[in-house]
Amino acid sequence: MQPADAPDLAHTRTRPAHWLATAAATAAVVALAALLQPDPATAKDTAAERPGPSPAATPAAPDPSAVTLPLNCGNIKSTLVGRATGDLDGDRRPETVVAARCAAGSGTPPTGVYVLTADRTGAPRLVATLLAPESRQTAQSLAVRDGAVTATLLGYSSPDVPSCCPDLTERARWTWQDGSFLRTLQRPPQAL
């Protein structure tokens, strides 16, 4: 082994006093950091207090009570039997999908399913009919998920089946494609 060319450095040897000083300094830093932390019970987000533009609010879904739906009920009023909201066309503004029917006292009146959107002023307007009442079907379990409208439809196997008693069920799905709604069956018609 060759002797080092450098002089002997006394500060490169550790002694217990060095370890105690290092431990005391580390403890002081940890204690100071703990004292400077905010109290979790009183911590709050101050984003609302910061100057600058506020985050954009999500527009409200169109209100179906402000639109006349194309139901031919004669002297009987119409009634909403289902409602769902969500973005159907990817514009980040919610549409409202409603199921409505004539408020008949008996039987199973057919349902119309309609899509409403807001115009530039925010007023609701009808943009599509997904299910016309003339189809003699009743929509149930109306939902909007992942940009699609789904519903369980009750219907009739023939014109001879009384309107009180639908005997078929199917599961339908509507998606916005190429400027219109495309209807597909998730489950074909089955006997009840």
Side-chain angles (χ1 to χ4, degrees):
M1 197 180 202
Q2 292 184 351
D5 291 335
D8 187 21
L9 301 176
H11 67 277
T12 59
R13 289 188 203 114
T14 58
R15 292 193 169 91
H18 291 117
W19 289 110
L20 286 175
T22 302
T26 303
V29 169
V30 170
L32 183 60
L35 290 174
L36 296 178
Q37 293 294 319
D39 183 11
T42 61
K44 64 180 180 176
D45 183 14
T46 58
E49 299 171 7
R50 289 185 204 135
S54 63
T58 303
D63 180 10
S65 66
V67 175
T68 301
L69 300 173
L71 288 168
N72 185 9
C73 296
N75 294 333
I76 301 172
K77 291 184 178 184
S78 65
T79 185
L80 294 180
V81 293
R83 176 182 180 166
T85 61
D87 183 9
L88 297 174
D89 57 3
D91 66 353
R92 303 178 108 182
R93 297 182 336 185
E95 283 78 31
T96 300
V97 180
V98 294
R101 64 177 175 86
C102 297
S106 62
T108 306
T111 306
V113 178
Y114 308 99
V115 178
L116 309 174
T117 191
D119 65 16
R120 291 181 181 164
T121 67
R125 64 183 178 95
L126 176 71
V127 292
T129 299
L130 302 181
L131 181 69
E134 294 78 27
S135 70
R136 291 188 65 217
Q137 292 182 302
T138 302
Q140 297 180 331
S141 307
L142 188 64
V144 173
R145 284 187 201 94
D146 301 323
V149 179
T150 58
T152 300
L153 304 177
L154 303 179
Y156 307 93
S157 58
S158 76
D160 298 330
V161 176
S163 65
C164 69
C165 311
D167 63 343
L168 293 178
T169 182
E170 67 184 73
R171 187 87 176 137
R173 183 174 193 260
W174 293 268
T175 54
W176 181 254
Q177 292 183 355
D178 300 323
S180 64
F181 284 97
L182 174 67
R183 179 179 170 178
T184 56
L185 293 180
Q186 290 183 299
R187 188 180 68 218
Q190 299 174 349
L192 284 174

